[in-house]
Amino acid sequence: MMNIRSVKSLIAAAIGACMSFSAEALEVNPGDYEQFPSNATIGVLYYQYGRGNEAYVRGSKATSDAKLDTNVGIIRLLHVYEIAPGVTVDPQFLLPVGAISTGGVLAPLGSPGGVGDIILATAFKFKLDTKFNDVFAITPYLIAPTGDYDATRSLNFGANRWQGIIQAAYVKHFDPAWSLDLIGDVAFYSDNTRYNSAGIGRLSQDPQFELQAYLRYKVNPALEIGGGFGGKIGGNQSFQQVSLRNPQGTTYGRLAVAYFPEPTFQVQAMIGQDLTVENGTKQATFVQLRLAKIFP
């Protein structure tokens, strides 16, 4: 049986881990940083489901009765411009919507749903002069506080703050079949000045870092499989300048299959789970389905 102090620490950790569901949309899928056809418009729909019951506080499991389920849909639209030979720019936006379900010791956090913060980004991709045309890319993101937010709720889809992210990627093509995606980013946050129920509390967050690596194998022109790992560190939060001691320390694994029933339409399925968690609920199940259509 946990004492009241442990429960409060657990809830603070859960809030830190789930503060912005818009930011979860930035996890890169295998193959995302390949160069797309010039002048193409691409529409993407995502559905992702996450389920967890084990909650951790500062690296130790606090309980196995911390239900946190998420159902998130993401709408993404981008257009590709070629600004120089081998150089493309992909301005885009993403909009998450969804619902959260809590239970057990997290039940007091509620089970909200709604619209997440809108994400604006521009990916700059450079085709490199290598044997199999490797790709280097850099993407600045801006996440605006447009999503559903209520200071009286502990969990929200909107974060009520601005977020800026710089993401860089390198795609190494070993041969026509094997590729390696390496992605890293750093996120910066403005303060949420309406954090507590009175609407006056200030929540601050340190920069957060994330790394991802995916190895991909093209079975044939229509089918690709891949898998890899990722991890997040940093992002400790402070309320009224008092540290919540809830930095991220999460690692996760992913497996994906992508199929092109036609050259301009992709179906991708991905499964995974958290491997280690420093603070928050450990995601035992992660499932994502993605549909992408290229409009020439």
Side-chain angles (χ1 to χ4, degrees):
M1 179 72 67
M2 293 190 300
N3 59 34
I4 296 299
R5 178 174 295 180
S6 297
V7 172
K8 288 182 177 179
S9 297
L10 172 60
I11 290 176
I15 292 172
C18 306
M19 186 61 194
S20 175
F21 287 86
S22 294
E24 296 302 315
L26 299 186
E27 184 181 317
V28 175
N29 289 49
D32 272 3
Y33 271 106
E34 295 287 6
Q35 277 194 316
F36 304 131
S38 178
N39 294 320
T41 298
I42 303 175
V44 190
L45 294 176
Y46 301 78
Y47 167 73
Q48 55 192 45
Y49 169 75
R51 180 178 179 83
N53 287 296
E54 295 181 350
Y56 289 75
V57 177
R58 292 186 282 281
S60 298
K61 185 166 74 171
T63 179
S64 296
D65 185 30
K67 176 187 173 184
L68 182 67
D69 295 352
T70 58
N71 286 277
V72 180
I74 304 167
I75 302 169
R76 180 183 180 190
L77 185 66
L78 65 93
H79 187 79
V80 183
Y81 298 93
E82 185 173 29
I83 59 174
V87 181
T88 57
V89 177
D90 307 349
Q92 55 195 280
F93 82 89
L94 301 89
L95 182 65
V97 297
I100 310 165
S101 176
T102 62
V105 298
L106 296 185
L109 300 182
S111 298
V115 179
D117 295 331
I118 192 169
I119 303 167
L120 304 175
T122 301
F124 297 86
K125 299 179 180 178
F126 303 84
K127 183 183 295 184
L128 304 181
D129 186 18
T130 58
K131 184 175 182 180
F132 295 104
N133 293 323
D134 297 345
V135 177
F136 172 75
I138 187 164
T139 305
Y141 291 86
L142 179 66
I143 304 179
T146 59
D148 291 336
Y149 182 81
D150 184 344
T152 64
R153 296 197 306 240
S154 295
L155 286 180
N156 286 278
F157 259 80
N160 191 46
R161 61 181 178 178
W162 293 89
Q163 300 174 63
I165 298 172
I166 297 294
Q167 188 172 80
Y170 187 87
V171 181
K172 175 63 179 178
H173 298 119
F174 299 103
D175 57 35
W178 288 97
S179 302
L180 177 66
D181 302 335
L182 300 173
I183 306 102
D185 61 61
V186 56
F188 303 91
Y189 310 90
S190 70
D191 291 349
N192 177 356
T193 57
R194 295 191 300 112
Y195 181 63
N196 64 358
S197 59
I200 57 174
R202 180 179 292 273
L203 183 78
S204 303
Q205 185 165 354
D206 295 339
Q208 180 174 292
F209 303 86
E210 183 168 9
L211 294 173
Q212 297 173 251
Y214 292 110
L215 184 65
R216 294 180 286 126
Y217 176 68
K218 189 179 292 293
V219 180
N220 56 53
L223 179 64
E224 185 175 77
I225 58 176
F229 300 92
K232 304 174 186 177
I233 60 172
N236 182 67
Q237 295 178 322
S238 299
F239 177 64
Q240 299 294 79
Q241 299 183 329
V242 177
S243 175
L244 295 180
R245 299 175 64 192
N246 62 354
Q248 292 288 290
T250 302
T251 61
Y252 53 86
R254 299 285 188 261
L255 294 173
V257 176
Y259 175 64
F260 288 85
E262 59 181 68
T264 60
F265 181 62
Q266 183 199 60
V267 179
Q268 185 182 77
M270 185 159 62
I271 61 172
Q273 65 176 41
D274 289 343
L275 303 176
T276 62
V277 172
E278 184 73 15
N279 288 292
T281 301
K282 185 176 183 181
Q283 196 171 65
T285 303
F286 173 86
V287 178
Q288 184 194 81
L289 178 65
R290 183 177 77 169
L291 306 176
K293 175 66 176 176
I294 298 176
F295 302 94

